[in-house]
Amino acid sequence: MVKASREFQIFAKPAGAACNLDCSYCYYLRKDLLYPDSDSFRMPYDLLEEYIRQQIAIAPEPEISFFWHGGEPTVLGIDYFRKITGLQRKHLPPGRRINNGIQTNGVLLDDDWCRFFAAENFAVGLSLDGPPALHDVYRVTKDGKPTHRQAMQGYRLLRKHKVPVDLLCVVHAENVRHPLQVYRFFKEIKAQYISFIPLVEPQPASQGGVSARTVPAEAFGAFLCVVFDEWVRQDVGRIIVQMFEEVARPAYGQDHSLCIFRSTCGDVPVVEHNGDFYSCDHFVTPEHRLGNIRTTPLIELIEHPAQLAFGQAKQEALPRCCRECEVRAMCNGGCPKDRIIRTPDGEAGLNYLCAGYRRFFAYCRDFTGQMAALRLAGQPPERMMQVLRDAEVKAHPAVGRNDPCPCGSGRKYKKCCLNA
């Protein structure tokens, strides 16, 4: 079979939009309305095998990556995922390797699940919006009960079984006001990977604007700046924050790995529970359905002219002020789903988060430049923390052990940068 012309990441939805929770900000729960005649949102085994076989056959790289999303994929049960790995082994050619990733709310995880993930080398994305009072604002059960305790139990089991965990924190109108509380909570639970995902919920055209849950754009920028301040002084090399890794990539001369910051997109399509193929996880709509893998080979859908045009449109639709922006390389206009406001001169297509992104990118640009210089000199990234500590001590030579730390954390110098 012909290989795809580029790398891709398919978000496979073997349970469709089915979920055991009712998170009020979830953009995917209502996708079940696309299938009013479906009596099951469970991908049948014959279709599952066809999907796995085709993806293995067309993947252009030696390592083949599968990403299992929902809804909540664990509602299918562990035996379903044992079937997945069995089918992958059945169709895997010699000399190639498979990686699996799964996104979950963690509520259904137990020792059996975690032993399975560890044995099969799964990476897990776990949704956690901070400490209980902030997580439980929107992440609730079907009867409105909080879920933080169950999610944390799942997290602890994953850590117990040494499963790699990326904590996905949706930044919304509530937790955005508490950046250090959120970040330090993640530090306390020994998080190793953190992704901050801004919540943007456009209102219907008749109402205009965004929902009350939506993170204010400038507040999101301030949130990132505050967290970055602590991370760059205390946690470089210890904690990977996806957003901070991404903003450094242009300084390192690297392309973005995160689709929202690439100049073009379209490389992260969706295969739904019935085999329908959609252009993107945020564009699972009738107009972005390009076909079904039962009737159209996956390679044709990946290389479909409409899919390529969807990805290219991200670059072509950039407003003039974005094209001329001094931090364009860090952002490239952001995700097309968030391009819902107008520029100061009235042009459509500006990213709702622009003010926040610009604030953060401008703030951290000097730091990322210094980190790139250290890297070029063969220094480890952790060296950046010592460089900043030396500069702050030099700028504040009279700071005592019990004085407020000059980094601005609010803690005593002896409890902060002195011994970091």
Side-chain angles (χ1 to χ4, degrees):
M1 183 177 285
V2 177
K3 304 290 185 186
S5 62
R6 64 196 189 285
E7 292 187 60
F8 58 87
Q9 299 176 354
I10 292 176
F11 280 8
K13 310 270 188 173
C19 188
N20 55 328
L21 300 188
D22 195 18
C23 305
S24 52
Y25 59 51
C26 181
Y27 64 91
Y28 214 83
L29 277 179
R30 299 284 76 83
K31 297 303 179 183
D32 58 357
L33 299 177
L34 291 169
Y35 303 100
D37 298 326
S38 278
D39 56 1
S40 171
F41 288 90
R42 181 185 184 93
M43 183 180 284
Y45 285 142
D46 68 316
L47 178 58
L48 178 68
E49 180 166 14
E50 184 61 20
Y51 162 61
I52 290 171
R53 183 191 67 78
Q54 289 195 44
Q55 176 155 332
I56 289 173
I58 70 170
E61 299 297 320
E63 291 196 0
I64 306 157
S65 296
F66 286 84
F67 298 89
W68 306 100
H69 280 246
E72 174 50 47
T74 62
V75 299
L76 295 169
I78 193 171
D79 286 341
Y80 191 95
F81 279 82
R82 290 190 176 113
K83 182 73 171 180
I84 285 173
T85 55
L87 290 170
Q88 289 172 336
R89 279 189 282 270
K90 175 182 175 181
H91 292 284
L92 183 66
R96 305 192 75 187
R97 178 183 173 186
I98 283 177
N99 297 315
N100 281 292
I102 185 171
Q103 176 60 36
T104 178
N105 56 45
V107 169
L108 298 178
L109 299 185
D110 57 17
D111 279 304
D112 285 345
W113 269 110
C114 295
R115 275 191 289 266
F116 168 78
F117 289 148
E120 297 291 349
N121 297 311
F122 269 65
V124 176
L126 180 71
S127 296
L128 196 63
D129 289 354
L134 299 174
H135 173 94
D136 289 333
V137 174
Y138 300 125
R139 299 194 63 80
V140 296
T141 63
K142 297 293 186 183
D143 54 356
K145 294 179 180 177
T147 63
H148 190 271
R149 183 182 61 80
Q150 298 99 309
M152 281 301 301
Q153 173 67 9
Y155 171 72
R156 293 188 185 100
L157 288 172
L158 290 166
R159 292 295 305 273
K160 169 186 168 184
H161 291 277
K162 297 180 171 53
V163 177
V165 186
D166 180 0
L167 295 179
L168 275 68
C169 174
V170 174
V171 183
H172 48 70
E174 297 300 321
N175 60 5
V176 75
R177 297 184 290 115
H178 307 281
L180 287 180
Q181 184 179 348
V182 170
Y183 183 59
R184 288 175 182 170
F185 166 76
F186 289 140
K187 289 173 68 169
E188 287 168 8
I189 65 172
K190 297 181 170 33
Q192 296 174 304
Y193 306 91
I194 306 171
S195 297
F196 291 118
I197 304 171
L199 177 64
V200 181
E201 290 183 315
Q203 295 286 72
S206 59
Q207 300 176 36
V210 293
S211 72
R213 292 188 290 258
T214 293
V215 63
E218 292 206 18
F220 181 60
F223 176 98
L224 293 175
C225 289
V226 171
V227 174
F228 183 83
D229 260 345
E230 179 148 328
W231 174 82
V232 79
R233 287 168 172 81
Q234 299 182 21
D235 302 314
V236 177
R238 300 180 188 140
I239 299 175
I240 295 175
V241 180
Q242 184 187 49
M243 185 74 71
F244 303 162
E245 295 286 310
E246 283 296 319
V247 297
R249 291 180 74 89
Y252 294 156
Q254 299 174 339
D255 291 334
H256 283 294
S257 62
L258 189 59
C259 64
I260 64 171
F261 293 143
R262 293 177 195 156
S263 58
T264 60
C265 60
D267 299 330
V268 191
V270 163
V271 171
E272 255 286 346
H273 71 288
N274 69 336
D276 282 348
F277 180 100
Y278 293 90
S279 293
C280 170
D281 193 40
H282 290 283
F283 291 86
V284 177
T285 58
E287 59 269 30
H288 290 99
R289 179 189 175 278
L290 301 188
N292 188 290
I293 65 170
R294 282 195 184 276
T295 55
T296 306
L298 185 59
I299 184 64
E300 293 183 19
L301 296 167
I302 291 285
E303 305 286 357
H304 197 291
Q307 184 68 7
L308 301 178
F310 172 85
Q312 195 64 30
K314 178 182 181 181
Q315 184 178 66
E316 295 173 350
L318 269 182
R320 181 177 59 83
C321 74
C322 291
R323 297 175 188 273
E324 299 172 355
C325 179
E326 68 275 12
V327 294
R328 176 184 171 181
M330 289 176 154
C331 169
N332 287 304
C335 184
K337 78 177 178 64
D338 297 329
R339 295 180 181 181
I340 59 174
I341 61 174
R342 293 185 176 273
T343 67
D345 58 3
E347 189 177 359
L350 183 64
N351 196 301
Y352 166 83
L353 296 164
C354 177
Y357 280 147
R358 284 174 64 92
R359 176 175 179 176
F360 171 60
F361 295 154
Y363 182 78
C364 71
R365 188 163 45 175
D366 287 345
F367 294 99
T368 57
Q370 291 180 64
M371 292 175 74
L374 288 171
R375 180 171 179 168
L376 188 63
Q379 296 290 319
E382 295 88 335
R383 173 66 179 156
M384 186 67 190
M385 296 186 289
Q386 186 62 52
V387 169
L388 292 176
R389 285 196 294 272
D390 291 347
E392 285 160 355
V393 169
K394 185 176 180 180
H396 303 85
V399 175
R401 290 172 53 81
N402 292 310
D403 291 336
C405 188
C407 79
S409 68
R411 293 186 286 180
K412 291 181 179 181
Y413 183 41
K414 67 181 181 183
K415 295 288 189 180
C416 194
C417 288
L418 178 62
N419 298 310

